[in-house]
Amino acid sequence: LHMKHLLSLAMLSGMTLLVAASGQLANRKAESRSFSQWYLELRAKWLAEAPRIATEDPLPMIGSTASSTVRATASPKLAPCQLSPSNFLVLGGGGAPAYNEIAIEKNVLYFQRTLKHLGFNPANATVFFANGNNGQATVRYIDQQGQERFKPPQIPHLQGAATRANLQRGLRQAVQSPDRALFFYFTGHGGENKRNLNNNAMILWGEDFLSVQQFTQMLDRLPAQTPVVTMMAQCYSGSFANFIYQGGNPNRAIALQTRCGFFATVKELP
């Protein structure tokens, strides 16, 4: 896995706040220099290796400093990525229509656009979202009159609902070539485990709370030679940094697989 491609996906989604890799956590916002300064330095180094090109569809601003604005751009001239398009697995949506906001749906659409900008075919990524493609109106939004409305999910290449069973199916499909990396993206809501913040949860459709340890146990069953990269955008997501340990338990040994992740926040915060 080329780190520049991993950073591209994280930068384009504006999420590089907490990094977990090889058992070490780095909270960039806790450092003496600001996240924007760190991002500018990293992006300058990244662009030195991959020439910037103009795009017809500019990507949104993800940060700024007093004197400059940071925009994320991608270049198809990057060296070929080690990831196969079929190794992208996306899970998203709220646990119920009441909090299945349209913004989450847009996150998935944006991720698909990012894959396209990086030279991948979004149709080859496995996508599960909310209630899936059964036609039920479950995506919540506010219309121009300020009224709450619901509509069916409108995501290209949607393969089903964001359920535990589909997640397990997606993991099996994604590692048919065990030597290729798996990139897992979750965007939705998270649940706090007040008794054990190292074992918070992501909320799947049907208000099914899937904990860090339950998710990691799924990964533990994958081939040891399969690298796993996660990018998670939900409250209390920093807890999932513990997936680098066997069983998701920080008191156990590091997992046999190579695992790293980007998380939207720390385990204590929404």
Side-chain angles (χ1 to χ4, degrees):
L1 174 66
H2 288 309
M3 184 55 70
K4 67 179 73 173
H5 294 85
L6 168 60
L7 290 174
S8 298
L9 286 164
M11 287 176 181
L12 295 178
S13 294
M15 293 179 52
T16 44
L17 302 183
L18 182 69
V19 182
S22 302
Q24 297 180 356
L25 300 182
N27 190 339
R28 292 294 180 180
K29 282 195 169 181
E31 296 183 354
S32 58
R33 56 181 174 162
S34 69
F35 171 73
S36 294
Q37 290 173 318
W38 171 80
Y39 175 88
L40 285 170
E41 293 173 8
L42 182 61
R43 184 171 178 273
K45 184 182 298 183
W46 177 64
L47 290 176
E49 300 179 19
R52 180 183 181 187
I53 61 168
T55 61
E56 295 181 358
D57 187 10
L59 298 175
M61 178 177 63
I62 69 172
S64 63
T65 64
S67 60
S68 63
T69 297
V70 179
R71 285 186 178 273
T73 60
S75 170
K77 297 181 180 179
L78 292 173
C81 186
Q82 297 293 322
L83 285 172
S84 163
S86 62
N87 290 95
F88 288 102
L89 175 59
V90 180
L91 202 67
Y99 54 101
N100 185 35
E101 296 88 359
I102 194 171
I104 304 176
E105 180 187 58
K106 290 183 180 296
N107 285 348
V108 176
L109 296 172
Y110 189 69
F111 187 82
Q112 291 178 324
R113 286 176 50 205
T114 301
L115 291 182
K116 184 176 180 180
H117 275 280
L118 292 175
F120 296 107
N121 181 0
N124 292 329
T126 301
V127 180
F128 300 113
F129 181 84
N131 60 300
N133 41 21
N134 62 10
Q136 295 181 1
T138 63
V139 178
R140 178 181 178 272
Y141 69 99
I142 304 299
D143 66 16
Q144 294 181 347
Q145 287 72 43
Q147 300 298 311
E148 180 182 61
R149 303 290 186 188
F150 293 88
K151 70 177 188 66
Q154 294 175 297
I155 298 174
H157 320 300
L158 179 60
Q159 297 184 24
T163 62
R164 190 178 301 225
N166 278 339
L167 171 59
Q168 293 173 324
R169 178 164 65 93
L171 289 173
R172 290 193 298 268
Q173 293 175 347
V175 294
Q176 292 179 358
S177 300
D179 57 334
R180 294 186 180 274
L182 166 67
F183 193 108
F184 174 73
Y185 174 47
F186 179 79
T187 176
H189 293 280
E192 180 186 21
N193 182 350
K194 294 184 182 298
R195 294 183 178 181
N196 183 3
L197 291 175
N198 286 318
N199 195 32
N200 292 337
M202 54 178 144
I203 305 177
L204 307 184
W205 185 248
E207 300 192 309
D208 180 14
F209 283 61
L210 183 69
S211 72
V212 172
Q213 294 183 8
Q214 291 171 332
F215 174 65
T216 306
Q217 288 164 10
M218 294 181 184
L219 299 181
D220 288 343
R221 292 192 286 269
L222 301 179
Q225 67 269 35
T226 302
V228 179
V229 178
T230 65
M231 189 165 70
M232 307 188 76
Q234 80 269 20
C235 295
Y236 312 107
S237 59
S239 179
F240 279 82
N242 289 302
F243 88 126
I244 63 176
Y245 301 105
Q246 294 179 18
N249 186 340
N251 296 318
R252 296 183 61 186
I254 296 293
L256 297 177
Q257 300 158 340
T258 298
R259 297 175 184 171
C260 68
F262 287 76
F263 306 91
T265 184
V266 295
K267 63 185 179 182
E268 301 91 352
L269 297 177

